[in-house]
Amino acid sequence: MNTCSTNTATPLTLGFSPCPNDTFIFHALIHGLVDAAGLRFTERLEDVETLNRLALDRALDVSKVSYHLMGRILPDYVLLRSGGALGRGCGPLLVARADLDPSRLAGKKIALPGRYTTAALLLRLYDPTLTDFVYLPFHEIMGAVADGSVDAGVIIHESRFTYASYGLTQLLDLGAWWEADTGHPIPLGGIAAKRSLGGETLRAIEDALTESVRHAFAHPALPHPYIRAHSQEMSEAVCDAHIKLYVNDFSLTLGSEGEQAVQYLLQRATAAGIIPPSSEPLFTPR
């Protein structure tokens, strides 16, 4: 656990995953390499669904969460425009042992990487008739599909680079489906911060995150030891591919295209009855 900055104020709790894209993004912020306006952060690294549940419990001041979850935590959290994962060609994949028809999965047992992940939301939007879900940590899904514990699974993160080694077949690219169906890039996960921190602090965190991403882009070798310390079971090639896939200009700032994509995802989820309606503003006040 690290604390950045030298300010004596109580540090803010900051949650993100040990995945290479997150450790790449947060390295400069955690290590005090960018101006954080005197704010300090205590890091907590957990898998995405654990972070989602911590945010549901309002246990973290700032946290990476699935965009799906934002629809459930809007009374307490606001979405920052920087530090997230959103793009094209980077969506979750539905895989199986055999080449099944993805439109005929009713009655099949499907593993999902957490109830509140965007991957789970996308599959439910793709086919609302599917109901037989098993929720597993993302790194256990390929094994469960391979050994027949489930009929199919939705994989995320670095699994999209390694599923073939398990003898699995891609049935559907949920990100490609989303892009073709909506025209929007696929929103995966973003950074949520407690509304109670106030506008000035929220803007300072957002700006510091932007600078942290910019610092990583400018000095890509510098975060490497920190990234590898949290991804020891991942090959260097997969680690680099992971960062290249999930960190892009949207990570610097969502911009109007990214904001519209997130808003539309939540609108679709609300219309489908998957998340409750909310009148709370979604984004950090500017």
Side-chain angles (χ1 to χ4, degrees):
M1 200 172 271
N2 266 331
T3 302
C4 82
S5 181
T6 58
N7 192 292
T8 56
T10 301
L12 301 175
T13 50
L14 169 62
F16 54 94
S17 82
C19 293
N21 61 307
D22 280 354
T23 47
F24 180 81
I25 282 172
F26 285 99
H27 171 263
L29 181 65
I30 287 297
H31 291 85
L33 302 178
V34 295
D35 180 13
L39 297 171
R40 296 195 304 154
F41 300 90
T42 300
E43 66 180 319
R44 178 166 177 177
L45 277 67
E46 302 283 359
D47 70 273
V48 65
E49 187 65 358
T50 299
L51 293 172
N52 286 338
R53 293 187 177 278
L54 287 168
L56 274 173
D57 292 337
R58 302 182 297 280
L60 297 171
D61 296 312
V62 184
S63 183
K64 175 77 172 285
V65 298
S66 300
Y67 280 122
H68 175 188
L69 187 79
M70 284 304 305
R72 297 181 178 274
I73 62 174
L74 280 173
D76 299 294
Y77 287 87
V78 67
L79 182 64
L80 306 185
R81 294 174 179 83
S82 54
L86 183 149
R88 297 185 183 275
C90 60
L93 306 179
L94 178 66
V95 299
R97 295 182 306 285
D99 191 13
L100 305 174
D101 184 342
S103 66
R104 297 178 179 272
L105 292 176
K108 301 290 187 183
K109 186 178 293 185
I110 302 173
L112 296 175
R115 186 179 300 274
Y116 301 110
T117 58
T118 304
L121 172 59
L122 288 171
L123 186 66
R124 293 178 66 185
L125 291 175
Y126 171 76
D127 188 347
T129 68
L130 301 178
T131 58
D132 193 0
F133 299 130
V134 176
Y135 298 102
L136 296 173
F138 81 90
H139 59 277
E140 296 181 7
I141 289 179
M142 291 187 295
V145 178
D147 69 18
S149 300
V150 295
D151 298 299
V154 177
I155 58 172
I156 58 174
H157 300 325
E158 65 274 9
S159 300
R160 66 179 294 126
F161 303 114
T162 58
Y163 69 88
S165 66
Y166 285 75
L168 305 180
T169 298
Q170 177 184 314
L171 307 182
L172 176 67
D173 184 326
L174 285 163
W177 164 76
W178 170 265
E179 291 177 47
D181 191 62
T182 71
H184 290 294
I186 174 66
L188 298 171
I191 311 303
K194 283 185 176 178
R195 294 182 186 275
S196 59
L197 294 174
E200 183 179 355
T201 298
L202 291 170
R203 287 188 290 272
I205 298 169
E206 187 172 81
D207 291 344
L209 268 176
T210 300
E211 291 308 309
S212 190
V213 179
R214 186 172 285 120
H215 191 281
F217 281 149
H219 310 280
L222 201 57
H224 193 260
Y226 183 63
I227 294 167
R228 295 301 296 161
H230 295 287
S231 59
Q232 294 176 1
E233 296 181 5
M234 198 183 305
S235 74
E236 190 162 341
V238 170
C239 188
D240 291 343
H242 187 118
I243 294 169
K244 184 177 180 180
L245 184 66
Y246 294 113
V247 186
N248 52 39
D249 287 344
F250 289 118
S251 303
L252 279 169
T253 182
L254 288 174
S256 60
E257 184 182 15
E259 289 184 25
Q260 290 170 14
V262 176
Q263 289 169 331
Y264 187 70
L265 177 72
L266 297 183
Q267 289 168 6
R268 284 279 294 263
T270 301
I274 297 172
I275 62 174
S278 176
S279 59
E280 296 283 357
L282 176 60
F283 293 103
T284 314
R286 296 304 289 182

